[in-house]
Amino acid sequence: MGSFNPRKFTDPDRLRSLDPRRLRAFFAPWRSYLSGRGFEFPDPGEEIDYQSLAHVLLTPDHATPREMVDALYYVHETASAEDMEELIAAARRQGVPLDDDPAATPADLAIDVWLAAPDLLQSRHSEAVARKQQNFEYFAPHQAGRRPFPEIDEALRLQIEAELDNWFEGHRRGRGCRIFMFRHTPLVWILVRHGLPMRREAGHQDDGRATTEFYRPQQHDVLFYDERNGEIGVHANTKGERKLYLKTFGKFVFGDEDHFPPAAKFTLDPLAEDGADALNVEDIDGISAVRLVECRRYWGGAFKEVEVRRAENLFAALAARGAPGLFGGRLVGVTFKVKFEGSEKERSVTVRPPGIARYERNEDSELVERWLRNRGFILAAQGADDDEAATAVLEGA
C-alpha cells in the first residue's frame, strides 16, 4: 500500500458526493469494525451520518483493518476522469461486468471496479504511477537495435518476482513484491512494488496514551523498455536495486543476466567543445530551439567544490561578458529549455551523466533523444543503429 492520508478521502462533503448504495457495499466487509467505533449504517433510504463516518476514518486506531485502508487508498488514487475512461476500457477488455450507470461519478466507478475486480483497480493505479515518473537512468544492451519485449506469462512473472524477493529479503526489505507491466508501443512500462526496511515510529492515541507503530513502508520502482533501440530506463532508490533489475530482467527476459551492462550513455563534452553550436536544432523536425539555462561543474579539490551557474541563456550570458565558454572543471549536469514546434511553452530537460535524463513529459524523450544523439551527447556505443533509431523516432513523432 502507498502512503495513505485519510483526509484526502474522508471529508464529509466528499463522502456525501458518493452514491449511498455504493458506499454501503464498499464498507460492508468492515461493518463490525465501524460498529465497534460507534458508527452504524442506517436503513436504506435514511440519511447517512457522514460526519460520524468521517470521524471514524480520520481517527484510525490499532484495530483499523489494513484491508479497509488499502481499499480507501486505491479508490482515492483512481477516482479521476482520466482513470474513469481507462477503467471502463480495461473492464471491457477483461470482461468485468459493470453497471451501465450514466450518473456514476469517477469515484462511484472506482468503487464499482474495486467491488468487482480489485486487482484491476490496483493495476490501473500502478500504471498511472509508472507513467508519471520522469527521472530515469538509462542502460543500453550489448548490441543496440530494435528488439521486441517478449510477452511475460504468469509462470515467468512469478519466477521474476521470486528472484527479486530473494534479494529484497536478503537486504531487509521483506518478500511479496509484485510486478505490473503495461504496453504502450514502442514502450513497455514495468512497475515493481516492494517493501522497504521496517520503520518504527511513535504513535498517539486519542485518550493520550503513547504507542509505537512498527510497519514496513511500500516503494514503487519504475522501469521502461524501448523496443526501438533495446534500451531500458530505471528509476530506483539505490544502486543495488538498479543492478538487481538490470540483472534480473536481462536473465529472465533476454536470457543473459549481463544483457544490460552498466555503461555510460550520456556525455556533456559537446557543450565544452562546440559551445553554442551544440544547441543547433536545424536538422530536428519538431524542435524549434534549445537554450542552455543551467550547468553544474565539479572542481573537486580538498573541499569538493561544485559550481552551479544559471541564466536565461548561459551561452549568451557568457558571450556578453567575453567569457571563453564552459571550460574548466567537469560538467556533471545541465538543464535545457526546449521549444517544441506547435507548443507555446518551453519544457525542461535535465541530463546528468553517466545515464540520467529527466523530462517534464515522457513523450518528449523521442525528439529530444534524437537531438542529443545528433549533437553527440549520446555516446557512440549507444547509437550502433542510429539511422534505424532516428527513423523510428520520426515515425513515432
Side-chain angles (χ1 to χ4, degrees), residues 26-337:
F26 177 79
F27 282 109
W30 309 292
R31 286 202 175 193
S32 60
Y33 166 75
L34 296 175
S35 177
R37 293 290 307 277
F39 174 81
E40 298 280 359
F41 274 99
D43 293 333
E46 296 182 8
E47 178 74 8
I48 296 173
D49 187 350
Y50 295 102
Q51 194 73 39
S52 176
L53 176 58
H55 174 74
V56 172
L57 300 176
L58 282 168
T59 57
D61 58 15
H62 67 282
T64 300
R66 174 69 62 178
E67 296 79 8
M68 185 181 76
V69 175
D70 282 354
L72 289 168
Y73 172 76
Y74 285 114
V75 167
H76 167 74
E77 291 291 304
T78 53
S80 71
E82 180 182 0
D83 289 312
M84 188 177 196
E85 294 178 5
E86 295 290 340
L87 286 172
I88 291 174
R92 288 173 178 168
R93 288 194 301 268
Q94 298 184 24
V96 176
L98 296 176
D99 291 340
D100 184 13
D101 181 3
T105 68
D108 289 339
L109 181 73
I111 290 176
D112 287 347
V113 175
W114 177 263
L115 294 173
D119 286 347
L120 192 157
L121 199 70
Q122 293 185 49
S123 178
R124 168 56 193 163
H125 169 257
S126 298
E127 180 175 6
V129 170
R131 300 190 69 190
K132 285 179 182 177
Q133 185 53 247
Q134 300 170 321
N135 194 9
F136 292 92
E137 188 162 354
Y138 293 81
F139 302 89
H142 283 296
Q143 293 184 333
R146 290 179 177 173
R147 184 165 185 173
F149 192 89
E151 292 294 334
I152 305 297
D153 60 21
E154 181 72 5
L156 183 55
R157 181 182 65 81
L158 292 174
Q159 282 186 281
I160 295 173
E161 290 176 348
E163 183 89 353
L164 296 178
D165 271 343
N166 290 337
W167 189 94
F168 290 136
E169 184 177 40
H171 291 76
R172 302 185 180 183
R173 288 161 170 80
R175 300 186 68 85
C177 75
R178 284 288 308 276
I179 296 172
F180 300 87
M181 296 188 184
F182 320 96
R183 286 186 179 271
H184 292 275
T185 305
L187 302 182
V188 177
W189 292 88
I190 305 165
L191 183 137
V192 182
R193 189 179 71 195
H194 66 88
L196 292 175
M198 297 296 290
R199 183 176 299 172
R200 184 179 287 106
E201 294 182 352
H204 181 81
Q205 298 294 318
D206 287 347
D207 60 6
R209 290 183 297 114
T211 62
T212 300
E213 302 292 338
F214 189 54
Y215 65 100
R216 187 182 301 283
Q218 191 176 82
Q219 172 70 21
H220 295 95
D221 291 334
V222 181
L223 303 83
F224 75 85
Y225 179 82
D226 191 332
E227 295 184 314
R228 294 175 304 231
N229 52 30
E231 290 183 356
I232 193 168
V234 182
H235 175 87
N237 281 347
T238 69
K239 182 183 295 186
E241 289 167 344
R242 287 192 292 274
K243 289 182 177 179
L244 169 69
Y245 297 140
L246 295 178
K247 178 179 177 180
T248 303
F249 284 97
K251 173 183 176 180
F252 286 96
V253 179
F254 297 104
D256 180 6
E257 63 181 33
D258 296 320
H259 181 78
F260 297 107
K265 175 175 180 175
F266 298 112
T267 176
L268 299 178
D269 289 348
L271 293 173
E273 297 170 357
D274 303 327
D277 290 341
L279 306 183
N280 178 25
V281 296
E282 291 182 358
D283 57 337
I284 308 297
D285 293 334
I287 297 179
S288 57
V290 175
R291 292 184 291 125
L292 178 66
V293 297
E294 179 179 306
C295 72
R296 290 175 174 264
R297 284 190 286 188
Y298 179 72
W299 293 92
F303 302 102
K304 303 185 184 303
E305 179 185 0
V306 176
E307 173 191 10
V308 181
R309 187 179 293 272
R310 298 185 182 92
E312 291 186 0
N313 187 320
L314 267 175
F315 281 122
L318 291 170
R321 292 191 292 103
L326 295 176
F327 296 105
R330 175 167 59 90
L331 282 172
V332 295
V334 297
T335 298
F336 303 105
K337 285 289 187 180

